[in-house]
Amino acid sequence: MEWTIASIEEESVYNLGRILADYARPGVVFCLSGDLGSGKTTLARAIIRNACNNVGEIPSPTFNLVQSYEVGAGFEIWHLDLYRLNNIEEAIMLGLEEALIEHCCIIEWPGLIEPIMPAHSIYIQLDFQDRNSSSLSYQRMITIETSNPIMAFFADCTNNLIGR
């Protein structure tokens, strides 16, 4: 299954995160890719904020590598930023293999760990289109690709809430 969503404003990214939060459960992995500034952390924060009631500040895990958050349903969301890692062994040392099974994971810069990714991961690519144009507003394109059966009704949810 694949969806492409065009979005100019950050609010649409937040709305997408609100929808994706409904799919957060143990074993679900959101893989966020895209250039710096494309909205990966904004999307991750929106998923976390909506999945975890009463969560406070949601710092970027850029320097800590991992932040974890309790979900009321009795599991954790792990938010990881793997940009600074050099190899897959460093990711494994973080406890990632167990986390991929026991928790919901939101992984920014997942390319390094592709060999250990679960088959039903949810890949989200955030890109800017026409970045070199003279326009000051760049259109953000978000592509979601997965074989995860929990996403079967995703398209119905996004049509109304994201503004397509």
Side-chain angles (χ1 to χ4, degrees):
M1 296 175 280
E2 182 175 310
W3 302 271
T4 299
I5 303 162
S7 160
I8 294 176
E9 67 282 338
E10 197 169 294
E11 182 181 345
S12 292
V13 175
Y14 184 83
N15 287 338
L16 176 61
R18 185 174 55 183
I19 294 166
L20 291 173
D22 289 341
Y23 298 95
R25 54 187 53 111
V28 170
V29 180
F30 297 101
C31 300
L32 310 183
S33 299
D35 291 335
L36 289 171
S38 62
K40 294 180 300 296
T41 302
T42 299
L43 181 57
R45 285 179 175 145
I47 294 169
I48 293 164
R49 184 160 311 287
N50 287 282
C52 304
N53 293 332
N54 300 321
V55 68
E57 182 182 353
I58 303 173
S60 171
T62 300
F63 296 104
N64 294 343
L65 303 179
V66 179
Q67 298 283 345
S68 65
Y69 304 90
E70 290 288 329
V71 178
F75 65 94
E76 294 179 1
I77 292 180
W78 278 32
H79 181 196
L80 301 99
D81 185 329
L82 304 182
Y83 183 77
R84 298 179 336 133
L85 295 186
N86 296 310
N87 55 55
I88 195 168
E89 289 79 20
E90 291 178 344
I92 291 170
M93 287 175 34
L94 293 172
L96 184 60
E97 286 182 304
E98 294 82 22
L100 292 172
I101 298 165
E102 298 173 8
H103 308 297
C104 175
C105 293
I106 303 171
I107 304 172
E108 297 185 43
W109 305 98
L112 183 72
I113 60 164
E114 191 63 38
I116 64 169
M117 295 303 292
H120 292 303
S121 296
I122 300 167
Y123 293 91
I124 304 171
Q125 179 73 36
L126 297 100
D127 290 308
F128 287 108
Q129 300 297 321
D130 301 324
R131 197 166 200 171
N132 295 323
S133 75
S134 59
S135 171
L136 295 177
S137 64
Y138 308 117
Q139 185 170 8
R140 184 180 284 120
M141 300 299 289
I142 303 171
T143 303
I144 301 171
E145 186 175 349
T146 187
S147 62
N148 196 320
I150 69 166
M151 299 288 287
F153 299 105
F154 177 75
D156 294 335
C157 297
T158 59
N159 287 336
N160 295 327
L161 293 175
I162 296 178
R164 287 181 53 187

